[in-house]
Amino acid sequence: MNPLLQSVQVALQNAEQKEAISFIDKVVDFCIEHENGKVLAGWPEDLMQLLVAYHIAKDTFIVEQNDDGDITALGMWYNCDEDSDWSFIENWEPDNKDSNGIFIGFLHATSTDLFKKITKKFLEVCPEAMQKKLIMMRHRSGAIKRVKSNHRLFNKILAI
């Protein structure tokens, strides 16, 4: 059972926070536009809305917007054990702040400069990422592959 997830579900169902829901919908639209059917393929929009709201509620969400309020960069992640896989997400398991890994669920920006900016922001919000194992799922040769990394990935991104 995941109490935070349940409270987010109730808040979305009540639909009383119109401004928050509007923002969440903008984030979902950004995800759909930029994930190319690789990260959230087959997910209905209401499930994506729940995913975004859940990340906002658990403080594993960063975003950049331009002057017009358009989303230009986005990051969402999970605190988990380094041996965690996609089932961690599918089962909506609660984050474990004391874990030894970070599962990067979504990280995208519309330009290289914004990618560097969102990476810096991620490291400000989640400085422990420099000491933990990083886990990502990548599409390679038509299949999903689990990829492990470490803080050197951030150094590469910031050096671009």
Side-chain angles (χ1 to χ4, degrees):
M1 187 166 104
N2 187 332
L4 180 59
L5 176 65
Q6 290 175 328
S7 68
V8 169
Q9 286 174 309
V10 168
L12 287 172
Q13 289 169 352
N14 288 343
E16 293 176 4
Q17 299 175 345
K18 304 283 186 218
E19 190 173 312
I21 290 172
S22 176
F23 175 73
I24 290 166
D25 288 342
K26 279 176 54 172
V27 173
V28 168
D29 290 344
F30 181 85
C31 290
I32 291 168
E33 182 180 347
H34 296 285
E35 64 92 25
N36 300 324
K38 294 180 180 177
V39 179
L40 304 168
W43 285 42
E45 205 164 311
D46 63 331
L47 191 57
M48 286 188 251
Q49 188 183 46
L50 177 61
L51 177 75
V52 170
Y54 180 57
H55 277 285
I56 292 170
K58 65 187 187 86
D59 293 326
T60 56
F61 174 90
I62 50 175
V63 68
E64 285 293 324
Q65 294 176 276
N66 64 19
D67 292 339
D68 295 329
D70 298 325
I71 295 172
T72 56
L74 173 66
M76 296 184 283
W77 66 94
Y78 300 84
N79 295 290
C80 59
D81 292 321
E82 68 177 289
D83 59 347
S84 295
D85 58 19
W86 195 251
S87 66
F88 179 83
I89 296 167
E90 291 173 328
N91 296 328
W92 297 90
E93 295 177 27
D95 278 35
N96 177 2
K97 289 277 188 184
D98 298 324
S99 65
N100 61 356
I102 293 179
F103 190 110
I104 298 177
F106 196 94
L107 187 61
H108 185 82
T110 57
S111 73
T112 302
D113 287 341
L114 284 167
F115 196 69
K116 287 169 73 170
K117 186 174 184 177
I118 201 81
T119 299
K120 285 180 188 176
K121 191 172 193 174
F122 169 69
L123 292 173
E124 289 169 7
V125 172
C126 186
E128 63 272 19
M130 294 300 282
Q131 285 79 42
K132 293 185 176 188
K133 297 289 183 187
L134 302 177
I135 306 146
M136 299 158 277
M137 301 304 261
R138 295 288 174 249
H139 282 76
R140 303 263 163 84
S141 303
I144 296 174
K145 184 175 185 164
R146 187 174 186 274
V147 178
K148 278 187 175 182
S149 190
N150 58 32
H151 69 278
R152 289 188 296 243
L153 173 68
F154 301 125
N155 295 336
K156 284 181 184 178
I157 292 168
L158 297 175
I160 296 174

